Amino acid sequence: MDPETSTHADGAGDEEEPLFSNLDLFLFSLIVGLVVYWFMSRRKPEPIPEFKKLDTPAPTTRETSFVEKMKKTGKNIIVFYGSQTGTAEEFANRLAKDAQRYGMKGMAADPEEYTMGELSRLSEIENSLAIFCMATYGEGDPTDNAQDFYDWLQENDDEDLSGLNFTVFALGNKTYEHYNAMGKYVDKRLEELGGKRIFDLGLGDDDGNLEEDFVSWREQFWPAVCEHFGVEASGDESSIRQYELKVHTDVNMNKVFTGEIGRLKSFEVQKPPYDSKNPFLAPVTVNRRLNKAGDRHLMHLELDITGSKIRYESGDHVAVFPTNDSALVNKLGEILGVDLDVVISLNNLDEESNKKHPFPCPTTYRTALTHYLDITNPPRTNVLYELAQYASDPKDQENMRKMASSSPEGKSLYQSWVLDSCRNILAILEDMPSLKPPVDHLCELLPRLQARYYSIASSSKVHPNSIHICAVVVEYKTKTGRINKGVATNWLKNKLVNGHKSTVPMFIRKSQFRLPFKASNPVVMVGPGTGIAPFMGFIQERGWLKQQGKEVGETVLYYGCRYKNEDYLYQEELEEAEKDSVLTQLNVAFSRDQEHKVYVQHLLKKNKDHLWKLIHSDNAHIYICGDARNMAKDVQAAFCDIAEEVGGMTHTQATDYVKKLMTKGRYSQDVWS
């Protein structure tokens, strides 16, 4: 045994050994510490509940009872609007403003913001009246903001509206199959539920002169209201301002809107979900010219939606928010003699109104005229009427008021001098040098610049992170010799890939224009010109389905353009699809390559036997995209002729047959005029 060890052992035996060694104490302390830490960290979040937000109430609580709001503000007329492009909303605001001239008080209202089941309570307000300005969208559909109201009308058969006084003005377009369907339905349904119609349904036709239709209806409507309620017009025809100007001299520029549609700084800090009030800034990754020659500029753009969580289907629409040409904005500033970079707010004089400003405020005149206001469309008659007071030449004043009247002479002057001559507000100011309106009143009167909708030219199955647009740049010479340019297409044309500000504020609008649920169903697509757009998505999707091993029915395309060597859009892609048997048939009408013009409807008639088999025997779905005024009607007539000639039907039977295809969702249209 080692002597050292022996000595050590002997010594240890002489002393009493401690209960815990230093190591034991260290380990014990560590374990206790860890237990306490674990216990504390586990308990930590519990005493601090996530209810803090409840302590601070929302800055404004939106009133959903329009009856209570009317009582509170002394209003007796409410004007609901179903609006997709802003026109119905504009008409509603004009009617609400009119009420003041007849000793009444009106308010415009978005049905989406209120409980429409309260219509039966409107009788609680003396001399009350509900006016409905209802636009029809797409194929007889309600506008997005009127969808819930439409559903409510359909579902509530037991509703008693016997105390409701109402009238309807409908906005539509005669070139569409379901002309003014929404307005007609609301008018009929309110009466069915017991409502009392106090003036006839007004029908506005945007294919003709919507403004004239509205003015004529309005001129007869108000006397009927006065007679019904036993009131007289106040005779006050002077201008009534809705907003007051506030100029900000000392303002934090971080609190100033610079083009955002909804939330301040939403273009700097983007947060999903993205919609019409919160668009996504999509970078442009491709912008190429599609046509090989010719005067026109047809283009293909690709928008990158990576990381946005945006989802789309073939057939949907992409909406983009364009900006006005800076040269036009600068000219307006010069002619009005104003500093466009002054920071201003236009505040509603009616403090109870949900609409505090006509556009996001505070902002500058430059931003308002660039991002928020429509300065390129011919102004409506109410704008001319309100601006007339600022013309120093009595002749100019007289003409402006005449154009705003319902007299035949006035209507004719407005038609020729404003509409036919395509005079926008800048052209009017240039051609009437005595007219010098204050810029704030002009900004109050001009309508909002609207989003533009394009049929998506891609399939999300093939391009999940990209949305394709196919469009033709709009540019034409007016009768006054001016060159007018389409706002959105010229703005898109100048979106350089990887260039400065090459982003596009956009959102998706869902569509009913859908491929059949069963891929084995044949599809027949008819789309001349840029009407090819949704079919590029359809073709991509059918190709993808085929690659997945799915049974895909016949895919037939009828496309048309002017010249094969000039504007045959997507020629390479279409011919490739035909070669790969994704397109089972590619029929192209080159309208001007021969002496006699050949259009898609001629090719349809030429292939009538094959088409009739697809439609009548094989359950084919038919899709039409493009011009509503001529092409869509001619194509529908061609299908009726085929049903007559090959199906052995009478003209009436053939027409009914095609209508039934529409009802069953087997004849779909995505058309514009």
Side-chain angles (χ1 to χ4, degrees):
M1 186 182 282
D2 189 301
E4 268 190 297
T5 314
S6 168
T7 312
H8 185 94
D10 290 341
D14 295 335
E15 290 177 24
E16 193 175 325
E17 192 172 340
L19 197 62
F20 296 106
S21 71
N22 287 343
L23 181 63
D24 290 334
L25 287 168
F26 171 74
L27 287 170
F28 179 76
S29 303
L30 184 65
I31 289 163
V32 169
L34 285 169
V35 168
V36 170
Y37 174 78
W38 176 80
F39 186 75
M40 291 300 287
S41 65
R42 188 168 162 265
R43 292 288 300 257
K44 203 171 183 181
E46 287 179 19
I48 309 170
E50 284 294 311
F51 302 142
K52 264 192 163 178
K53 286 175 188 170
L54 297 178
D55 299 340
T56 51
T60 54
T61 309
R62 180 155 277 178
E63 178 76 78
T64 61
S65 167
F66 62 83
V67 172
E68 293 307 319
K69 186 161 192 172
M70 289 170 78
K71 285 178 178 178
K72 201 190 298 178
T73 57
K75 306 274 197 331
N76 67 319
I77 291 179
I78 185 161
V79 195
F80 292 106
Y81 56 84
S83 188
Q84 196 70 32
T85 61
T87 309
E89 182 181 359
E90 195 187 323
F91 285 1
N93 283 319
R94 285 162 70 175
L95 289 167
K97 207 168 167 184
D98 279 346
Q100 211 168 316
R101 296 196 169 101
Y102 297 89
M104 295 179 267
K105 287 184 80 178
M107 64 178 269
D110 182 342
E112 202 171 32
E113 294 180 359
Y114 294 99
T115 308
M116 295 306 285
E118 288 211 328
L119 282 173
S120 57
R121 285 188 59 205
L122 209 52
S123 55
E124 294 172 18
I125 297 169
E126 194 182 355
N127 286 355
S128 64
L129 168 65
I131 306 170
F132 296 84
C133 289
M134 307 308 290
T136 299
Y137 185 76
E139 293 303 297
D141 303 317
T143 56
D144 291 347
N145 77 311
Q147 182 67 53
D148 291 345
F149 174 47
Y150 175 74
D151 294 342
W152 178 82
L153 284 172
Q154 284 197 310
E155 292 159 9
N156 289 277
D157 288 333
D158 301 331
E159 198 69 36
D160 178 13
L161 299 183
S162 53
L164 174 72
N165 295 312
F166 78 90
T167 191
V168 180
F169 183 81
L171 296 85
N173 188 308
K174 266 206 174 101
T175 59
Y176 289 79
E177 179 73 26
H178 306 280
Y179 173 56
N180 270 324
M182 182 59 180
K184 288 173 182 174
Y185 174 74
V186 171
D187 181 68
K188 174 172 150 283
R189 187 64 174 147
L190 291 175
E191 186 180 46
E192 285 172 359
L193 296 174
K196 183 179 180 184
R197 182 189 297 106
I198 68 155
F199 190 66
D200 294 338
L201 167 70
L203 297 174
D205 177 20
D206 201 29
D207 186 48
N209 186 335
L210 185 60
E211 177 69 13
E212 187 179 309
D213 295 337
F214 176 67
V215 169
S216 300
W217 177 84
R218 177 171 154 252
E219 292 277 332
Q220 296 169 58
F221 164 69
W222 282 114
V225 172
C226 291
E227 190 181 333
H228 182 83
F229 292 126
V231 296
E232 284 182 27
S234 63
D236 180 15
E237 291 295 314
S238 63
S239 171
I240 301 166
R241 289 295 297 265
Q242 197 177 343
Y243 299 93
E244 65 177 348
L245 171 68
K246 179 174 171 53
V247 177
H248 302 278
T249 47
D250 183 22
V251 67
N252 177 354
M253 291 309 283
N254 284 322
K255 298 281 168 68
V256 176
F257 283 87
T258 56
E260 304 95 326
I261 305 301
R263 182 174 51 86
L264 186 68
K265 302 292 174 195
S266 60
F267 287 168
E268 288 176 28
V269 182
Q270 293 253 278
K271 292 177 187 171
Y274 299 104
D275 54 28
S276 59
K277 294 180 177 68
N278 180 37
F280 175 66
L281 280 183
V284 178
T285 54
V286 174
N287 185 352
R288 64 184 170 92
R289 184 171 175 158
L290 283 172
N291 50 321
K292 302 177 189 78
D295 299 333
R296 297 184 305 158
H297 183 97
L298 293 122
M299 58 191 174
H300 171 89
L301 287 98
E302 296 182 14
L303 309 180
D304 185 2
I305 55 167
T306 305
S308 68
K309 298 184 178 170
I310 288 173
R311 301 283 174 266
Y312 74 95
E313 299 289 331
S314 303
D316 283 344
H317 298 132
V318 58
V320 304
F321 285 100
T323 59
N324 288 311
D325 185 348
S326 59
L328 288 182
V329 174
N330 289 334
K331 271 190 195 172
L332 271 172
E334 282 169 31
I335 208 163
L336 294 170
V338 292
D339 176 2
L340 293 175
D341 297 308
V342 170
V343 179
I344 57 110
S345 286
L346 286 178
N347 301 322
N348 202 321
L349 291 162
D350 177 0
E351 290 176 5
E352 295 293 331
S353 174
N354 280 359
K355 194 175 181 181
K356 302 300 178 193
H357 316 282
F359 43 78
C361 289
T363 190
T364 63
Y365 286 125
R366 184 181 303 283
T367 299
L369 293 167
T370 303
H371 294 273
Y372 300 139
L373 297 171
D374 183 345
I375 62 173
T376 58
N377 272 315
R380 299 198 183 277
T381 57
N382 65 305
V383 177
L384 301 182
Y385 182 85
E386 298 264 354
L387 294 182
Q389 61 185 308
Y390 302 117
S392 55
D393 183 338
K395 186 74 182 156
D396 287 346
Q397 258 196 44
E398 185 194 333
N399 280 333
M400 289 181 81
R401 291 211 168 99
K402 192 188 285 179
M403 285 190 280
S405 77
S406 59
S407 71
E409 191 188 351
K411 286 178 180 177
S412 172
L413 186 60
Y414 177 70
Q415 181 69 43
S416 61
W417 199 78
V418 178
L419 297 182
D420 295 345
S421 302
C422 303
R423 277 187 172 90
N424 56 32
I425 190 63
L426 177 61
I428 286 169
L429 291 168
E430 285 174 340
D431 295 345
M432 276 190 177
S434 88
L435 180 60
K436 297 287 180 194
V439 67
D440 63 293
H441 199 178
L442 184 65
C443 288
E444 175 180 323
L445 293 168
L446 289 173
R448 283 291 295 268
L449 181 60
Q450 298 294 325
R452 292 344 194 229
Y453 294 85
Y454 296 95
S455 303
I456 296 176
S458 53
S459 163
S460 59
K461 299 285 192 292
V462 182
H463 300 284
N465 294 316
S466 179
I467 285 173
H468 300 183
I469 294 174
C470 167
V472 58
V473 174
V474 177
E475 191 173 307
Y476 58 94
K477 195 172 191 174
T478 71
K479 287 182 177 178
T480 64
R482 293 178 172 91
I483 300 294
N484 275 10
K485 295 180 175 184
V487 178
T489 54
N490 280 277
W491 169 76
L492 285 171
K493 179 188 174 186
N494 292 316
K495 289 285 172 189
L496 303 173
V497 177
N498 301 322
H500 180 55
K501 287 187 178 172
S502 67
T503 53
V504 170
M506 53 72 69
F507 65 94
I508 298 297
R509 188 182 194 275
K510 294 292 173 191
S511 159
Q512 301 299 317
F513 204 68
R514 289 276 184 268
L515 278 168
F517 181 71
K518 285 169 70 177
S520 56
N521 282 119
V523 299
V524 177
M525 306 170 287
V526 185
T530 55
I532 186 72
F535 302 138
M536 294 308 295
F538 281 14
I539 292 163
Q540 288 171 15
E541 190 141 329
R542 300 280 273 190
W544 179 85
L545 288 166
K546 218 171 169 206
Q547 283 176 353
Q548 305 305 303
K550 297 268 176 17
E551 186 198 336
V552 178
E554 282 197 52
T555 306
V556 178
L557 175 68
Y558 285 83
Y559 171 65
C561 61
R562 294 176 183 181
Y563 304 100
K564 183 174 183 177
N565 296 325
E566 196 170 288
D567 56 352
Y568 186 173
L569 308 183
Y570 300 110
Q571 181 179 354
E572 293 78 12
E573 292 94 322
L574 294 175
E575 288 174 352
E576 185 73 20
E578 187 184 33
K579 197 176 88 182
D580 294 343
S581 301
V582 172
L583 266 181
T584 47
Q585 214 183 82
L586 173 59
N587 307 281
V588 188
F590 304 108
S591 62
R592 302 182 189 183
D593 267 347
Q594 60 286 310
E595 197 178 328
H596 301 293
K597 287 188 178 173
V598 176
Y599 295 116
V600 282
Q601 61 267 28
H602 299 130
L603 298 189
L604 290 169
K605 298 280 284 289
K606 197 174 164 186
N607 295 330
K608 58 187 178 183
D609 293 317
H610 176 241
L611 282 168
W612 182 248
K613 178 188 173 292
L614 289 179
I615 298 161
H616 197 61
S617 306
D618 302 345
N619 209 31
H621 286 232
I622 301 164
Y623 301 90
I624 320 293
C625 183
D627 162 54
R629 189 176 287 113
N630 298 311
M631 183 279 295
K633 285 182 176 175
D634 292 342
V635 165
Q636 191 173 323
F639 279 112
C640 288
D641 289 346
I642 290 168
E644 274 187 68
E645 293 167 25
V646 190
M649 298 180 182
T650 65
H651 181 69
T652 309
Q653 287 171 331
T655 306
D656 288 344
Y657 183 84
V658 173
K659 291 265 168 75
K660 274 196 185 122
L661 290 177
M662 290 178 180
T663 311
K664 289 176 184 171
R666 283 182 52 208
Y667 191 112
S668 305
Q669 299 186 93
D670 178 3
V671 292
W672 55 84
S673 64

